[in-house]
Amino acid sequence: GLTNGVTYFYQVTAVNEAGTTLLYLRHLDQGEAVSLSGTESANYPFWSPDNRFIGFFDEIGNKLKKVAVGGGPPVTVCLAENGKGGTWNEAGEIVFAPSHDTGIFVVPAIGGEPRRLVAIGEGYDSYRHPRFLPDGREFLFVGRTSGGADNAIFLASLDTTVAPRVITDSQANVDYNNGNLLTVREGVLMATPFTPDQERAIAGGIPLVENVLTLGAASVAVFGVSPAGMLVYQTGASAQAGQQLTWMDLDSGAEQTLGEPGHLGRVRLSPDGRRAVVEVREASNEGTDLWLVDLDTGLRTRFTFAPGNEVAAVWAPGGESIIYASDYENTHRIMEQPVEGLGGTAILLESTLGLYPTSVSVADQLLLFDAIRENGKSEMRRLSLAADAGEPETVASLPEENLGGGIYSPDGRWIAYHTTSAASWDVFVIPAVGGSRKWQVSTDGAVYPSWSADGTRLWVSRFSGDLRAYEVDGTGQTFRVGRYTEELRVAQPDDSGRRFDLHPDGKRLLRAGTDPTFRTEVSYLHLVTDWQRGLGQ
């Protein structure tokens, strides 16, 4: 991103030699960028209007912070459990998205209690990336659609009596500069003339940058613009499109790649350890699909073909079918589809709100799934897979918090899950039969639990990307949590789900992570001093 002047630009994706993401600052007339201390795990930075501060989200600490350009430690503005972008006006107000599913809020830049401006509307699963217009009252933000189409771009106001309205669409974030909207369409950064009094932006526009680097899951492209007309951007295929399936040995950490790279998401291994099902994004014009992977050869074959998105797959007991989430045109379903043979796909459950399978109890044929409530928060529910299933029941829920990711223990007696806690998110265990008793497993931030095949270890994903394995004992009437070991490092967890799975042999795991050789296709940052004069200079 660029300042309002021409002195600095900052880069948030820089990683130091220790593998830590830091906020870096560079003078345009100097060759070196310097890191800002205390900005470990910084995300989605934005400038103050006087160029003296940078606001950012502390991804591990779950806070909105600001740091002075001239030096000094970062200062907390307010809590933000999973921040998704902010913007700062001259009146000292910060408009921001404190999490992916909470809507748009405003908070004084000096700190205080955030106030909601915009709640998430039907048909959207996230509001994010707000940007003030020059008047400092109106702002743009991205409404991420839940059906695989381009995101909606809203124009809203600090005056909440003015309803937000959709003015255009974009694959990623939006900005406004010198009477133009900057959006991304089919991988091209576009400039479209626009004034705030227009009902909608006109169709078309001027192409500025082809193949701008876009991170689809985050709905963000790598570009920034200053009021003075400077533009900074990065090109290249998204690093998410270079995800590679990789075996990791649990004892040695040795790695071995499997198959070809692609835009891969969650991966789940079959009960016999011979196949995997993996999410593949953008392989067709129909959204995200599920593909089957032969673990001997690495070959992938497409498994789902319906329009919309098919995600969150779990194997049914015996491995003869796969249960997954489907969403298309604001209809959410849990589906079951046989892996072999000519049997058809069955609809197990349907809703206007999100439904995401997480685990199946082998002994009792019970499906755990996350269900999105009217307030946008998730809760854990259970559905019988028997012929006379009946209605699902709620297993665990918190009124104003997210709770989910439930995984049955191998013997079916326990359920591990994650929810918000004093440390932001942590993993807990409850009896599968119900009751009020629960045991806390992690205490310093973790999500996406996963059991070892023998039930003696419980793996959790820390926000640093470390996998931590806890020794556990659920053989008696109470659950016991022992010491842990930090085994391996994988990608940092996000709201797209766990991108690894443990093999039934207990010796290795399969993960979807970025292929290091793919990163070479991404360009350096490019700087244009006056984008409106063209990019040919």
Side-chain angles (χ1 to χ4, degrees), residues 165-365:
R165 70 179 193 274
V166 176
I167 58 171
T168 189
D169 54 46
S170 177
Q171 285 179 267
N173 49 309
V174 62
D175 216 326
Y176 181 84
N177 184 246
N178 294 337
N180 290 273
L181 288 175
L182 273 64
T183 60
V184 179
R185 299 175 188 171
E186 298 182 357
V188 178
L189 181 62
M190 306 285 294
T192 303
F194 179 77
T195 58
D197 58 354
Q198 289 177 232
E199 185 64 26
R200 288 185 65 95
I202 61 173
I206 302 170
L208 300 180
V209 179
E210 293 185 356
N211 197 31
V212 64
L213 181 59
T214 304
L215 307 179
S219 298
V220 66
V222 183
F223 75 92
V225 64
S226 77
M230 301 177 71
L231 173 69
V232 63
Y233 65 89
Q234 200 170 12
T235 63
S238 166
Q240 293 181 351
Q243 299 289 306
Q244 174 73 59
L245 289 178
T246 303
W247 287 111
M248 299 183 70
D249 185 273
L250 296 182
D251 290 328
S252 67
E255 300 186 1
Q256 182 179 0
T257 60
L258 177 71
E260 298 297 321
H263 199 155
L264 309 180
R266 284 170 281 202
V267 58
R268 294 293 179 269
L269 295 168
S270 62
D272 62 7
R274 297 174 58 188
R275 285 186 288 196
V277 58
V278 62
E279 297 172 3
V280 180
R281 302 182 178 95
E282 300 177 2
S284 69
N285 294 323
E286 298 167 337
T288 299
D289 299 296
L290 297 174
W291 290 60
L292 292 174
V293 183
D294 185 308
L295 298 183
D296 290 328
T297 64
L299 293 177
R300 291 200 300 262
T301 56
R302 189 171 173 181
F303 181 65
T304 62
F305 293 83
N309 298 310
E310 292 84 50
V311 297
V314 296
W315 290 83
E320 296 179 354
S321 64
I322 293 173
I323 300 170
Y324 59 89
S326 167
D327 73 81
Y328 180 59
E329 295 184 341
N330 300 325
T331 298
H332 299 264
R333 297 185 174 99
I334 294 180
M335 314 289 289
E336 183 171 13
Q337 183 171 325
V339 176
E340 304 286 357
L342 302 176
T345 303
I347 300 174
L348 303 183
L349 197 63
E350 184 172 295
S351 174
T352 58
L353 300 171
L355 304 168
Y356 304 99
T358 59
S359 180
V360 179
S361 170
V362 176
D364 302 319
Q365 296 286 297

Side-chain angles (χ1 to χ4, degrees), residues 34-96:
V34 296
S35 63
L36 299 179
S37 62
T39 62
E40 292 81 3
S41 80
N43 210 349
Y44 296 118
F46 55 95
W47 285 95
S48 67
D50 61 6
N51 308 327
R52 296 174 53 220
F53 291 89
I54 297 172
F56 67 94
F57 296 90
D58 180 348
E59 191 173 52
I60 295 178
N62 301 106
K63 295 175 181 177
L64 170 61
K65 294 183 175 181
K66 61 182 180 181
V67 61
V69 172
V75 176
T76 297
V77 177
C78 65
L79 295 176
E81 68 178 35
N82 187 20
K84 299 299 179 184
T87 185
W88 193 330
N89 69 8
E90 292 185 355
E93 298 166 299
I94 293 176
V95 168
F96 70 111

Side-chain angles (χ1 to χ4, degrees), residues 370-381:
D370 291 350
I372 306 301
R373 307 196 306 270
E374 293 288 346
N375 66 355
K377 301 297 184 180
S378 63
E379 67 182 16
M380 185 164 50
R381 297 179 188 170

